[in-house]
Amino acid sequence: MSKLTVSMKVNGKAVSAEVEPRTLLIHYIRENIGLTGPHIGCDTSHCGACTVDVDGKSVKACTMFAVQAAGAEVLTIEGMAGADGKLHVLQEAFREMHGLQCGYCTPGMIVRAHRLLQENANPTEAEIRLGISGNLCRCTGYQNVVKAIQYAAARINGVEYKEAAE
Amino acid sequence: MNAPTPPSAVERAEKLQGMGCKRKRVEDVRFTQGRGNYVDDLKLPGMLHGDFHRSSRAHARIKTIDTSKAKAVPGVIAVLTAEELKGVNLAWMPTLAGDVQMVLADGKVLFQNQEIAFVVATDRYIAADAADLVEVEYEELPVVVDPFKAMDPDAPILREDIKDKKEGAHGPRSHPNHIFNWQIGDRDLTNAAFVKAEVATKDLLSYQRVHPCPLETCQCVVSFNKITGEITIHGTFQAPHVIRTVVALIAGLPEQKIHVISPDIGGGFGNKVGAYPGYICAAVASIVTGLPVKWVEDRIENLSTTSFARDYHMTTEIAATRDGRVTGLRVHILADHGAFDACADPSKWPAGFSNIVTGSYDFPVAHLSVDGVYTNKAPGGVAYRCSFRVTEVAYAIERAMDIMAQKLGMDPVDFRLKNFIKREQFPYQSALGWEYDSGDYHTAMQKALEATGYRQLREEQKARQEAFKRGETRELMGVGVSFFTEIVGAGPSKNCDILGIAMFDSAEIRIHPTGKALGRMGSKSQGQGHETTWAQIIATEIGIPADDIAIEEGNTDTAPYGLGTYGSRSTPVTGAAIAMASRKIKAKAQMIAAYMLEVHEGDLEWDVDRFRVKGNPEQFKTMSQIAWAAYNKVPPGMEPGLEAVSYYDPPNMTFPFGAYICVMDIDIDTGVHKVRRFYALDDCGTRINPMIIEGQVHGGLTEGYAIAMGQEIAYDADGNVKGASLLDYFLPTAVETPHWETDYTVTPSPHHPIGAKGVGESPNVGSVPCFANAVNDAFKFLGSTHIAMPHDNYRVWQAAENLGLHR
Amino acid sequence: MIPGSFDYHRPTNLSDAIALLASLDAEARVIAGGHSLIPMMKLRLAMPSHLVDLAALDELRGVSADGAEIVIGAMTTQHEVIASELLAARAPILREAAELIADPQVRYMGTIGGNVANGDPGNDMPALMMCLGASYVLRGRTGERRVAARDYYQGAYSTSAAQGEILTAVRFPAPPSGHGYAYAKLKRKVGDYATAAAAVVLTLSNGQVATCSIGLTNVADTALFAAEAARAVVGSRLDKAALARASAAAEAIASPAADGRGSAEYRKKMAGVMTARALSSAFARAKS
């Protein structure tokens, strides 16, 4: 079980830790770096609660070894707000639209939503649902998560948010 | 220059963000920033990790357990087996249902993945490696997985520990694998009704075994301080005080030295009510090592061992007149409890509140009999937003009403309308012993029918059925209806207790000198938003803005004793305690205000956030001013301070209800369904926060959708558990999950201080039969009467195949 | 949840990777996107002694045209396949199939090489590669060779790749312009493997099917090339009878396992239904 030093940037900050090759990125982030925003919800890479952003890609941190991310730039929920503490539009939107209840899927969901809006600045509802299909939620039934993302997209694009007719 | 106009009552009420408004959630501030405080986030100095070695067999004697290789792994501190636990009398523990359960396998194993050894190591990777190195020799025994065979004369005996006990916790046992028989209702009158029935139906309606599967699994960190003898347990506990008392009773530790803390919980849904071997083993390990021990189960462990839900087989009979009036209901339930009866029911209710099976209908007579049996499956049973078995029997009655309607040739809505309990009949004494508090079913149903254009849907369906018969389409259209009445708010001390502790709940509210407040409650939110909603109740009751009220739950040292949050009991019971405590404070505040204004109390009236003199409204004192006065100048003879505690013993349960309608299209060549529309009208009485209610309904409907359309924890003939990972256990993504339309009526509960009933579980209760009825409705015109859940693609296809539709 | 231990290597070029693999024991594995391998390691169904990470081998990435053939580097991710304008223009079936693989996060990491190389019967790309008449480029100590996708799969997790060979690219002749294509995948939900799936590429001539190629996913212990089913529609206008013949032929070669997706009989029938649906979609898209 020889350890190696794995270094990367997390939320803009250089970090480094001694881990085994088999140490999963999610454990590196949570245990070695001490950021407990991303969560673990399953053991078969389905739930997406561990989703982070690695070099501009949405990645399930439970399905990557920390060593594979050596030298990468990683974004977690803790890096979404500005340096001055100003919340990201998505963080405000999730609260505004009641897009969370227990909060456990939320860090992964928001970081994924962020990447989704980078991929597609103006997604339709169907595109949003497909876009978050790698993030499971047991509390919200997704409907208000979709609204939160639509609201955030509207704000980012500088247009008025129109709630879809029921 | 004119003085600014003072804010109106309406403006002041808005500022309070009290009951009825869509107050944004307090919890979200930390959750959206990844600063939730969940159990696995906790790191204590020197903390060790525990992991289980689990049984590969469903039923076997344990011949040997060799822990030597595991112990030899560097970083392993201890390996516990039943032998070590026997030394502290914890190899077995009592369950909430009056049974006993092995903490670690003692001589035999009774279900696949049962806990055999607990490895404690310096980190979770080492614990996992060492757990793999425990070696167990088994002698296989024959397996019982079919509950219908559990009481055969030659059935293998599962519970050898109680095999000679002819009495269980709930009465006589008729077979070594029998747990209890529970009956209610008038059997003779009911049988007589069936003898003379003009029309009768009888169907076996099975509700498959599923699992609540919250996104966060069960976990704990236990820290025993050898010097002080204090034990601190952080854990995923929906009922932290109950856990504390259980630990006191079974571990013999003094209750004042036990500190139980539930931090943020990532979803409960009933999975986190009971005590599990992981908690006990972590506690013992901490006591033995003097170090904190963390136990976190993984998802496969969660789905296959920490509780389960449903597994009820309900033979349901309805008697009716030819013109569609029900005359009797007779139900027998075979309840599969797995290897130990660890059902988290109130102690006098081994089958939960299954006697709500009369549902929304005016049955003059009814009888219910339930037999619980042991099988080689995981223990548990009450969970998953079930309201204590209400989901099960709501499915039975709603399916059975549809089947009877079909037999009578009546529309399922018309059959229901004809048999609803009428508004003027409330409070209603059901034939199975409940007093339903309030309801207005006809109004709710009419609203649902209008909103969905139900009659036009039936016409459209007829046209599509003709097209199908002509071979123009291979799609079937189903319209599912469910009108549920459920029972929540456990419960009155006269018949509801958990391990002997009555099921009251509590609130303690303290107003600070500067007019802010702190509330602590005996409930424990796992996503329901209590930090937000409890403050709304207090804000409306005593006129302090909700933003000025901090709410705390989950620390058993500071929160008053409560029975926790499950069974939708928080709003009906804790919510009532909050209102009562608030009113005590308001009463004292009124006396202080009268003293400050130099009037009699009776000369004052309440105006949103202040007491004012009747007829002289410029003379007023706000709650803020009164709070300050409470700390510096109270009337002579009065104690300073402004706080109150209330322990609320509810006089009755509450009975939320709802009308759900689902439109579904089914492709018979693949079995794939599409939910075209789902409309859910819920009546939960007074609505504290409509935004949160809507969120609860969305979530519950999604769970119900998953249950009806694909979830199952199944066992093969050898007792191997199937589908216990997210590869197979159906959790719909945002793509499969339908769009939900929510609506409401408001029929307050007459006995509740704010008229609120609770809503969290209703959508799971009502949606499962609605989806099931939609699927069944699609096939009715081809002669089908009942297709069992889950309605996954394969089984829907198979139903079509069985009807000869693929030839 | 916790994988077993292994030593980790990250060669910076292909020859180093090959040399390294040759020097390690038989339990050494390559890792590409890791989204088949790591889940198996977390369940301890795979316990490799060494992992040779191909992530630094940029030479294995990219989509290009090489004469009449399209070449996709093995380390090209599904996300990159979907984004490829070249593939969208010349072989749109790849985008259609890739979009039906797993979920967005998995597609960012999962590679086409990883999807075809190890013989997992549940993966989608093998059937596509069979359908397209693709060949796999394998490089080992003894040099480079090509194996037709249709010949590559021997059984579940059993392929013609020799010990120490790395699959570096897939190559296939670009289907003619105006071809029809479809990938019809029946699944329980997004992220699930196929209950049954069919890949179809065809061309029309005067409204009749001129050429047709069909691959089937997850209805046997390998992907299947449904030659008989394809032959059944050539020369037809894809009328009901032709579709029925094709379905029956697809069913006849399918031997799926019973699992959570359904009984063996159901999945077999679905192989037929997906074949018919993919044929109909492909026909509608084709230009005569």
Side-chain angles (χ1 to χ4, degrees), chain B residues 256-500:
Chain B
Q256 86 279 10
K257 295 203 172 199
I258 303 170
H259 313 282
V260 175
I261 298 164
S262 298
D264 291 320
I265 299 180
F269 314 124
N271 192 197
K272 295 168 175 171
V273 175
Y276 297 115
Y279 304 153
I280 309 298
C281 290
V284 172
S286 185
I287 292 170
V288 161
T289 61
L291 289 170
V293 176
K294 175 183 278 188
W295 170 71
V296 174
E297 62 170 0
D298 68 27
R299 179 57 62 192
I300 291 173
E301 293 177 301
N302 172 256
L303 288 174
S304 61
T305 73
T306 46
S307 196
F308 70 90
R310 321 288 192 266
D311 221 342
Y312 254 32
H313 306 275
M314 304 170 281
T315 302
T316 309
E317 302 177 77
I318 296 182
T321 63
R322 219 164 274 120
D323 70 341
R325 282 244 70 241
V326 298
T327 57
L329 174 68
R330 184 164 60 194
V331 183
H332 176 263
I333 299 176
L334 181 63
D336 185 333
H337 281 246
F340 309 101
D341 186 4
C343 240
D345 284 309
S347 67
K348 297 180 182 63
W349 303 89
F353 300 145
S354 50
N355 54 325
I356 195 67
V357 66
T358 50
S360 312
Y361 313 105
D362 190 10
F363 284 98
V365 291
H367 184 255
L368 167 67
S369 169
V370 185
D371 282 295
V373 295
Y374 292 119
T375 58
N376 289 119
K377 301 178 186 172
V382 160
Y384 208 173
R385 259 172 152 133
C386 75
S387 302
F388 301 115
R389 299 297 191 177
V390 177
T391 41
E392 289 85 324
V393 299
Y395 172 77
I397 189 62
E398 289 303 302
R399 272 303 301 134
M401 288 296 280
D402 253 38
I403 292 169
M404 175 56 94
Q406 183 181 358
K407 190 161 186 174
L408 292 168
M410 284 179 75
D411 178 283
V413 164
D414 294 330
F415 181 53
R416 285 172 169 79
L417 284 167
K418 193 154 188 169
N419 289 287
F420 274 159
I421 302 163
K422 297 189 187 51
R423 185 174 43 200
E424 47 274 19
Q425 288 176 278
F426 288 91
Y428 171 79
Q429 307 297 335
S430 83
L432 291 181
W434 292 117
E435 181 183 280
Y436 294 21
D437 58 359
S438 66
D440 184 354
Y441 300 160
H442 289 86
T443 301
M445 183 65 108
Q446 285 308 332
K447 195 168 185 196
L449 298 179
E450 274 160 37
T452 56
Y454 177 80
R455 304 294 177 187
Q456 291 92 292
L457 286 170
R458 286 295 180 199
E459 281 171 27
E460 179 196 341
Q461 183 182 40
K462 254 200 279 301
R464 285 178 186 267
Q465 286 168 350
E466 296 308 310
F468 182 86
K469 287 192 179 133
R470 290 192 299 269
E472 288 162 19
T473 175
R474 301 286 289 165
E475 260 194 9
L476 298 178
M477 173 182 168
V479 181
V481 176
S482 119
F483 196 104
F484 67 95
T485 293
E486 73 139 339
I487 173 172
V488 297
S493 55
K494 66 174 185 278
N495 56 14
C496 290
D497 69 89
I498 299 272
L499 286 184

Side-chain angles (χ1 to χ4, degrees), chain B residues 663-733:
Chain B
V663 185
M664 196 184 278
D665 298 298
I666 295 173
D667 172 350
I668 58 156
D669 289 318
T670 55
V672 171
H673 68 274
K674 186 99 188 74
V675 175
R676 210 199 293 175
R677 197 169 176 190
F678 196 101
Y679 168 91
L681 182 153
D682 279 278
D683 191 317
C684 60
T686 303
R687 292 155 62 85
I688 300 167
N689 183 325
M691 177 188 81
I692 287 183
I693 289 171
E694 183 192 71
Q696 288 290 301
V697 174
H698 288 172
L701 295 178
T702 304
E703 288 185 338
Y705 170 70
I707 291 170
M709 307 310 291
Q711 277 179 356
E712 187 174 20
I713 301 287
Y715 289 79
D716 70 14
D718 296 320
N720 295 309
V721 62
K722 317 224 96 155
S725 85
L726 295 191
L727 179 64
D728 285 303
Y729 193 65
F730 178 50
L731 295 190
T733 72

Side-chain angles (χ1 to χ4, degrees), chain A residues 24-42:
Chain A
L24 297 168
L25 181 59
I26 186 63
H27 287 134
Y28 178 90
I29 291 171
R30 288 180 54 84
E31 311 285 324
N32 297 97
I33 307 309
L35 295 171
T36 55
H39 297 132
I40 295 173
C42 77

Side-chain angles (χ1 to χ4, degrees), chain B residues 67-79:
Chain B
T67 59
S68 56
K69 292 201 181 86
K71 284 183 176 142
V73 175
V76 170
I77 308 298
V79 181

